Amino acid sequence: AQSVTQLDSQVPVFEEAPVELRCNYSSSVSVYLFWYVQYPNQGLQLLLKYLSGSTLVKGINGFEAEFNKSQTSFHLRKPSVHISDTAEYFCAVSGQGGSEKLVFGKGTKLTVNP
Amino acid sequence: DAGVIQSPRHEVTEMGQEVTLRCKPISGHNSLFWYRQTMMRGLELLIYFNNNVPIDDSGMPEDRFSAKMPNASFSTLKIQPSEPRDSAVYFCASSLLVEQFFGPGTRLTVL
């Protein structure tokens, strides 16, 4: 079974500042990793995914994440945030070659202030 | 493509009533997932189907909850009887390979 820990429940930042949202996972098998974003009163939208290959993954809206197998982490980063990035961000994991189930973290609420 | 479609978007009902939530997955997708989201418990997987067959329903809270997928383009999640603690946002998602596409959700309030 897999599990995900998002270390920060809330992250406030100022506009144009860099941000990192942390995600750690545990799994006994190789994994696929995902970051989803949820804007208020909307469903979840995929930001980026790691399936295999390069450990640095680029997604939409200028976000990127780096898969670190030794540290079992998949932190999300953006060098300069905008007000419109205010949302909740979810890290998720699934085991390769098995169930399609995604296990989600509890989410990190990113608030970008002017 | 219209994406995953859920109806209704909002539902307010009284305790004891039957509630039916509906989902139309993206055409061509072969897996469908029902999730529940609450402040206390976060995002929980209730059940998922592959090729219309329920694969894992271990997340269904109790016998009051049931889900069906009679064909590849339609699924329902039913709660009977409903209770106030069922109040949540219910999401449907579909996938073809690994990535899941989420619908806009149904906000259920049970009074």
Side-chain angles (χ1 to χ4, degrees), chain A:
Chain A
Q2 290 78 41
S3 68
V4 175
T5 301
Q6 291 185 242
L7 297 163
D8 305 298
S9 60
Q10 297 188 53
V11 173
V13 295
F14 288 109
E15 194 173 17
E16 298 184 5
V19 70
E20 179 180 82
L21 306 183
R22 297 180 292 170
C23 172
N24 287 89
Y25 70 91
S26 69
S27 176
S28 57
V29 300
S30 297
V31 296
Y32 300 127
L33 292 156
F34 306 82
W35 276 99
Y36 282 84
V37 60
Q38 184 179 29
Y39 300 103
N41 299 315
Q42 294 188 27
L44 280 70
Q45 177 185 2
L46 183 71
L47 270 181
L48 49 79
K49 60 190 175 192
Y50 170 78
L51 303 181
S52 65
S54 173
T55 57
L56 183 62
V57 180
K58 294 189 184 297
I60 62 171
N61 301 341
F63 284 93
E64 64 180 32
E66 186 154 19
F67 171 55
N68 187 317
K69 188 175 181 179
S70 63
Q71 297 188 4
T72 61
S73 68
F74 191 55
H75 301 333
L76 181 70
R77 302 184 182 97
K78 186 169 182 178
S80 175
V81 294
H82 303 288
I83 299 287
S84 59
D85 293 322
T86 294
E88 188 142 24
Y89 293 78
F90 293 90
C91 181
V93 64
S94 71
Q96 291 187 19
S99 163
E100 297 172 82
K101 289 168 59 171
L102 284 180
V103 175
F104 284 87
K106 295 289 188 184
T108 297
K109 171 67 174 167
L110 174 66
T111 302
V112 181
N113 298 300

Side-chain angles (χ1 to χ4, degrees), chain B residues 10-111:
Chain B
H10 301 272
E11 176 80 31
V12 180
T13 191
E14 293 189 347
M15 183 174 61
Q17 296 299 305
E18 177 180 297
V19 175
T20 300
L21 311 182
R22 297 173 176 81
C23 176
K24 177 178 169 56
I26 292 172
S27 177
H29 284 190
N30 60 357
S31 292
L32 184 140
F33 305 80
W34 282 102
Y35 292 89
R36 177 172 68 176
Q37 185 178 38
T38 61
M39 289 291 292
M40 292 297 295
R41 301 173 68 93
L43 198 60
E44 306 172 275
L45 177 66
L46 300 177
I47 184 171
Y48 86 93
F49 297 84
N50 183 262
N51 292 324
N52 312 337
V53 176
I55 302 300
D56 185 344
D57 65 354
S58 59
M60 295 286 263
E62 48 197 273
D63 291 345
R64 297 185 298 107
F65 285 69
S66 62
K68 294 182 179 179
M69 191 164 187
N71 56 63
S73 59
F74 184 66
S75 176
T76 60
L77 177 68
K78 186 175 294 187
I79 309 172
Q80 167 63 19
S82 58
E83 297 182 3
R85 61 194 168 116
D86 301 329
S87 296
V89 181
Y90 291 81
F91 289 104
C92 176
S94 70
S95 74
L96 177 59
L97 297 172
V98 178
E99 177 182 349
Q100 293 185 21
F101 295 79
F102 282 75
T106 295
R107 182 174 296 277
L108 174 65
T109 303
V110 183
L111 302 175

